[in-house]
Amino acid sequence: MAPASLEHANITVANLERSTQMLIDLFGWHVRWKGPSKDGGTTAHVGSDDQYIALYSKGSDSTMDNTYETIGGLNHIGVVVEDLDAMEAKVKALGYQTHNHGDYEPGRRFYFDDHDGIEFELVQYD
């Protein structure tokens, strides 16, 4: 029996279109599905044909807690990339600041926070 694989994660964002476009611009992903969702919100599935991030929005900003101190909170989303340096240039060109760069076995990484405070880790394995 093959091991299970992660299909998606579902996160809440303030502006569905802005978050969708950021994921498309950075990672070359596409919208797999978009439509009405619970409590009057809208959801967009953005990713590859096999894996995606479900973005949920009710179309309003809200206060955010520190997820590293919240049981069950989202700490960051990790994305494997082929060329970390090129991706860092794209992240910066979109206006985001990178931080927490590190080299470790077996690869390199950096982080950035998006407009909703969602932290992304980009990693390149050697």
Side-chain angles (χ1 to χ4, degrees):
M1 174 182 265
S5 63
L6 180 67
E7 183 203 27
H8 77 275
N10 187 313
I11 59 176
T12 300
V13 298
N15 183 311
L16 188 68
E17 299 307 322
R18 178 177 63 189
S19 294
T20 297
Q21 195 60 53
M22 180 200 71
L23 294 175
I24 290 169
D25 290 345
L26 279 179
F27 304 126
W29 292 347
H30 63 274
V31 176
R32 297 166 34 122
W33 176 86
K34 181 180 176 185
S37 194
K38 65 183 282 177
D39 299 327
T42 304
T43 296
H45 295 177
V46 185
S48 69
D49 290 337
D50 301 318
Q51 301 165 330
Y52 62 95
I53 296 175
L55 302 173
Y56 169 79
S57 182
K58 290 183 79 172
S60 63
D61 292 327
S62 63
T63 306
M64 297 172 47
D65 295 323
N66 181 344
T67 59
Y68 280 95
E69 296 178 8
T70 303
I71 302 298
L74 174 70
N75 296 324
H76 66 263
I77 297 171
V79 179
V80 176
V81 299
E82 288 185 20
D83 185 337
L84 191 66
D85 298 325
M87 286 302 298
E88 184 167 15
K90 284 179 86 171
V91 168
K92 289 179 176 180
L94 290 174
Y96 301 106
Q97 294 193 15
T98 61
H99 60 89
N100 198 16
H101 294 74
D103 293 335
Y104 64 100
E105 186 63 38
R108 300 184 303 131
R109 71 168 192 284
F110 71 86
Y111 295 79
F112 75 95
D113 297 327
D114 78 356
H115 40 268
D116 286 320
I118 298 168
E119 185 176 62
F120 285 82
E121 175 187 7
L122 276 59
V123 61
Q124 176 184 338
Y125 293 113
D126 297 327

